[in-house]
């Protein structure tokens, strides 16, 4: 799926990774030579890195873990119930800035544009990383951060801000306070995977362009839309993306739905190798680009297999959010009354039942056998009652 240039970069990256105990031990245990990649299939024999592996490494190697890189910027990311340190060297920060600058340019942001950045600057450092990319492009950045929507709207009006960057939900609050911009860059929560959400944000902000940006604090960026607003292009200069079966870990073909696995192409501090994100998406090729056509459409945590089809209940909230009359509360119940699986979905609120059933079938890739709308859902959740 990736060419020889990418494989050469990955071989160098794996050599750097093997200098850390976490990977040296994992490579040795799997009996793989990370410096001898003859093919993409060889790379996919490298073991995954999971959140549990990182947690164990932090426990075994003190608070910084074995991926600690001296002199790097230290910020944090959630890891289970804890916060884990992340490391970005000066070279990492410069490289990330270049990659982000290219993504922002493709989104329609131009040198000299004024950008209000409402991502947080403390603890996680997301605002800092995105600001570096915007400044690399030549934009003027207002580091406002999250919190006060009326103040943000006032800045936008007073200083003739062109671009707003932040969570879509916070952008709507800023719009309610009277703000409008030309371009919106949304991330940090589901955005374009929710049907109709882009249009809602664009109407509220009276903006020409609203694009989705996907990254985790571990790997930022992973993918982002261009001003064509037609799917998130993988930032292959920075992140190498695979889609795997969440159960078996086997690689999936283009167009199949599965778990997003990410590897840094070049990273000094906190390098990640085949990191399982837990995010659910599909991957397709468009010319030279690899694209997540519908963005991140859910999580893999509570997956079920119904009639031979993998069903991901975590992708349902994005569907429900597109219907004004629904509260977002739902229950999924799978039974086997005779010899065939029966999928029932119960949603709280009001909606056109046929439209909702069609939307759920499209997202889940299986039609519910029974869809019920109730005024008050007593017990939301996922219930597999077949066994």
């Amino acid at each position: 799926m990736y060419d020889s240039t990418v494989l050469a970069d990955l071989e160098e990256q794996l050599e750097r990774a093997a200098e850390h105990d976490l990977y040296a031990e994992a490579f040795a245990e799997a009996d793989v030579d990370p410096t001898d990649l003859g093919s993409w299939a060889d790379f996919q024999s490298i073991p995954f890195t999971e959140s549990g592996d990182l947690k164990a490494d932090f426990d075994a190697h003190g608070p910084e873990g074995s991926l600690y890189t001296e002199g790097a910027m230290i910020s944090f990311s959630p890891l289970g119930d804890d916060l884990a340190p992340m490391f970005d060297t000066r070279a990492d920060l410069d490289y990330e800035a270049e990659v982000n600058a290219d993504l922002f340019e493709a989104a329609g942001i131009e040198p000299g544009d004024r950008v209000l950045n409402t991502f947080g600057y403390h603890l996680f450092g997301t605002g800092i990383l995105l600001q570096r990319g915007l400044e690399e492009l030549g934009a003027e950045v207002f580091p406002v951060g999250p919190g006060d929507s009326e103040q943000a709207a006032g800045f936008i009006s007073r200083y003739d801000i062109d671009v707003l960057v932040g969570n879509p939900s916070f952008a709507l609050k800023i719009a309610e306070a009277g703000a409008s911009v030309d371009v919106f860059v949304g991330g940090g929560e589901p955005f374009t995977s929710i049907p109709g959400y882009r249009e809602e944000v664009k109407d509220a902000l009276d903006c020409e362009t609203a694009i989705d940006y996907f990254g985790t604090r571990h790997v930022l960026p992973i993918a982002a839309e261009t001003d064509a607003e037609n799917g998130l292009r993988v930032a292959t200069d920075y992140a190498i993306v695979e889609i795997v079966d969440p159960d078996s870990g086997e690689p999936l073909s283009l167009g199949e739905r599965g778990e997003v696995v990410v590897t840094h192409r070049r990273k000094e501090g906190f390098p990640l190798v085949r990191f399982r994100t837990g995010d659910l998406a599909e991957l397709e090729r468009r010319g030279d680009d690899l694209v997540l056509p519908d963005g991140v459409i859910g999580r893999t945590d509570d997956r079920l297999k119904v009639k031979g089809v993998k069903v991901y209940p975590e992708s349902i909230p994005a569907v429900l959010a597109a219907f004004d009359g629904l509260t977002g509360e739902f229950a999924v119940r799978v039974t086997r009354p005779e010899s065939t699986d029966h999928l029932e979905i119960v949603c709280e609120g009001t909606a056109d039942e046929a439209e909702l059933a069609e939307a759920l079938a499209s997202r889940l890739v299986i039609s519910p056998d029974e869809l019920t709308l109730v005024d008050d859902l007593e017990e939301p959740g996922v219930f597999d009652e077949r066994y």
Side-chain angles (χ1 to χ4, degrees):
M1 187 164 66
Y2 292 93
D3 62 23
S4 58
T5 303
V6 174
L7 286 174
D9 284 350
L10 284 174
E11 190 167 294
E12 290 184 16
Q13 179 67 11
L14 292 176
E15 286 188 60
R16 283 191 292 269
E19 296 174 2
H20 302 276
D21 289 349
L22 171 65
Y23 294 115
E25 294 167 6
F27 296 160
E29 184 176 342
D31 194 25
V32 297
D33 182 357
T35 65
D36 185 21
L37 298 183
S39 67
W40 177 242
D42 289 341
F43 172 74
Q44 292 183 307
S45 70
I46 301 294
F48 293 114
T49 304
E50 303 191 28
S51 295
D53 301 321
L54 298 178
K55 179 73 166 61
D57 185 69
F58 285 121
D59 291 342
H61 296 277
E64 297 91 355
S66 73
L67 298 185
Y68 171 65
T69 305
E70 187 175 355
M73 181 185 86
I74 302 176
S75 55
F76 291 85
S77 176
L79 184 64
D81 296 329
D82 299 322
L83 289 174
M86 306 282 109
F87 310 110
D88 292 275
T89 68
R90 178 61 181 269
D92 292 336
L93 292 170
D94 290 344
Y95 180 40
E96 291 159 11
E98 292 173 7
V99 174
N100 273 314
D102 289 341
L103 294 180
F104 291 138
E105 183 176 29
I109 302 174
E110 299 179 351
D113 279 350
R114 288 186 162 182
V115 182
L116 194 81
N117 185 5
T118 63
F119 279 112
Y121 280 73
H122 70 287
L123 199 62
F124 302 138
T126 305
I128 295 172
L129 298 180
L130 297 184
Q131 174 163 333
R132 286 175 176 270
L134 291 162
E135 290 176 337
E136 177 72 18
L137 176 60
E140 295 180 359
V141 183
F142 287 60
V144 172
D148 191 330
S149 57
E150 291 188 1
Q151 182 185 64
F155 284 142
I156 288 173
S157 175
R158 187 176 308 122
Y159 294 99
D160 195 21
I161 299 294
D162 303 290
V163 182
L164 174 63
V165 178
N167 298 139
S169 57
F170 188 49
L172 288 177
K173 292 181 179 179
I174 295 173
E176 288 177 5
S180 63
V181 293
D182 296 327
V183 177
F184 172 65
V185 177
E189 61 188 28
F191 182 26
T192 59
S193 59
I194 300 175
Y197 200 8
R198 188 205 308 271
E199 289 71 23
E200 180 183 357
V201 171
K202 290 179 73 171
D203 288 345
L205 288 171
D206 193 27
C207 61
E208 299 176 5
T209 305
I211 69 105
D212 203 345
Y213 178 105
F214 169 45
T216 72
R217 185 57 195 88
H218 302 82
V219 185
L220 187 77
I222 295 175
E225 288 188 295
T226 71
D227 56 6
E229 300 178 341
N230 62 353
L232 286 75
R233 280 149 181 79
V234 176
T236 51
D237 284 348
Y238 183 74
I240 304 304
V241 170
E242 310 167 62
I243 303 294
V244 305
D245 184 297
D247 294 313
S248 68
E250 289 298 310
L252 296 178
S253 300
L254 293 173
E256 293 189 83
R257 183 172 300 180
E259 182 176 3
V260 178
V261 173
V262 186
T263 300
H264 283 116
R265 182 166 174 174
R266 295 200 303 270
K267 187 77 159 61
E268 293 179 347
F270 210 86
L272 286 177
V273 176
R274 303 199 75 203
F275 177 66
R276 298 185 68 154
T277 65
D279 290 312
L280 182 67
E282 298 168 1
L283 189 65
E284 66 181 33
R285 181 172 289 283
R286 298 181 190 168
D288 294 332
D289 295 324
L290 287 168
V291 180
L292 306 177
D294 298 312
V296 175
I297 57 177
R299 298 281 298 172
T300 63
D301 307 85
D302 293 321
R303 56 190 177 274
L304 301 166
K305 199 165 188 178
V306 182
K307 300 177 185 177
V309 177
K310 286 187 173 65
V311 175
Y312 300 93
E314 288 286 340
S315 64
I316 292 177
V319 177
L320 304 186
F323 292 82
D324 292 337
L326 297 177
T327 67
E329 295 286 349
F330 69 95
V332 173
R333 181 168 277 102
V334 185
T335 57
R336 187 175 288 158
E338 296 178 353
S339 59
T340 304
D341 292 341
H342 182 88
L343 174 63
E344 178 188 3
I345 300 177
V346 182
C347 302
E348 185 177 84
T350 58
D352 183 289
E353 194 167 315
E355 289 183 8
L356 178 57
E358 183 180 357
L360 287 168
S362 176
R363 179 53 54 86
L364 296 175
V365 200
I366 184 173
S367 297
D369 297 293
E370 186 177 350
L371 174 62
T372 305
L373 297 173
V374 298
D375 293 332
D376 184 18
L377 181 60
E378 294 183 2
E379 191 175 9
V382 178
F383 308 96
D384 190 344
E385 300 174 353
R386 292 172 291 182
Y387 309 107

